[in-house]
Every structure is written in C-alpha cells, then in structure tokens.
Amino acid sequence: MTKNLKNKIIDSLEDIKAVDPVAIDVKKISSLTDFMVIASGTSNRHIAAMSESVLEGLKENNISGIKVEGQGGDDWLLVDAGDVIVHLMSSDAREFYDLESLWDPEL
C-alpha cells in the first residue's frame, strides 16, 4: 500500500507540473515514515495548488490523519500522510536545505 500511495502522490504532482518530484525510500534509516517525496513549485500559488492536489488524492484514497504544516508560508509546505511525507518547496528553499542529500547522499 505504501508504494502505491507514493506512486499516486508522484502522479498527482506530475499532473500539476511540479518541478523535479523525487521519492526517497527512508524505511531503513527512519522510523517516522517509509518515503519522503520532494518537489519544487514555480511560485507560492503553485506550491499551494500542488498541496491541494496531493490532499485531494489522499482523501480520494481514504487516507486519514493527514497533517499539513507551513500553509501560508512562502517557501516550504509539508504534507504528512503517515507512511509518506511530502515536502513541497520553492527552488531556493530546496537548494538551501538540500533534503535529497540529507536523506540519500547518492542523489
């Protein structure tokens, strides 16, 4: 189910033209979640639209207990769906925090 959920999130982000969505398997190094999905948006409005798309897809798949952090912020929005955590970021924030290298040095 977790891989299926991750794939649905990636698909919804690609449908809304998210910039460079990446999924990182963190099962072996984190007890918080199984996957982290990271994607960039081209503007604050685009990031908000990406989160709305992800939330809509999660609700359609009866995923409960969803938490959202950073709404109303400028450059980073996090959607916690339990087994998958989604980081939606501006390009500048993504470059600065470099989560890909933090969670998977090979990226």
Side-chain angles (χ1 to χ4, degrees):
M1 176 64 179
T2 302
K3 275 190 176 181
N4 190 28
L5 177 61
K6 175 214 31 139
N7 291 337
K8 287 181 187 229
I9 290 170
I10 291 287
D11 289 344
S12 74
L13 289 171
E14 288 175 344
D15 288 346
I16 200 157
K17 307 291 188 234
V19 178
D20 194 25
V22 174
I24 302 170
D25 185 340
V26 295
K27 283 181 266 196
K28 294 179 182 174
I29 57 176
S30 174
S31 61
L32 296 173
T33 191
D34 292 342
F35 289 95
M36 288 204 185
V37 173
I38 304 166
S40 299
T42 57
S43 67
N44 294 347
R45 180 67 195 128
H46 188 214
I47 292 170
M50 291 186 322
S51 73
E52 291 168 15
S53 177
V54 168
L55 290 170
E56 184 178 302
L58 292 170
K59 288 177 184 173
E60 287 174 2
N61 287 282
N62 298 317
I63 306 299
S64 60
I66 303 164
K67 297 176 187 80
V68 180
E69 296 291 330
Q71 286 179 316
D74 289 336
D75 58 359
W76 191 346
L77 201 145
L78 182 138
V79 178
D80 183 348
D83 292 336
V84 181
I85 294 178
V86 184
H87 298 273
L88 304 172
M89 311 171 88
S90 69
S91 296
D92 290 341
R94 188 170 180 176
E95 184 179 333
F96 180 79
Y97 292 105
D98 195 18
L99 296 179
E100 287 97 332
S101 293
L102 178 67
W103 290 101
D104 188 350
E106 294 181 11
L107 287 177

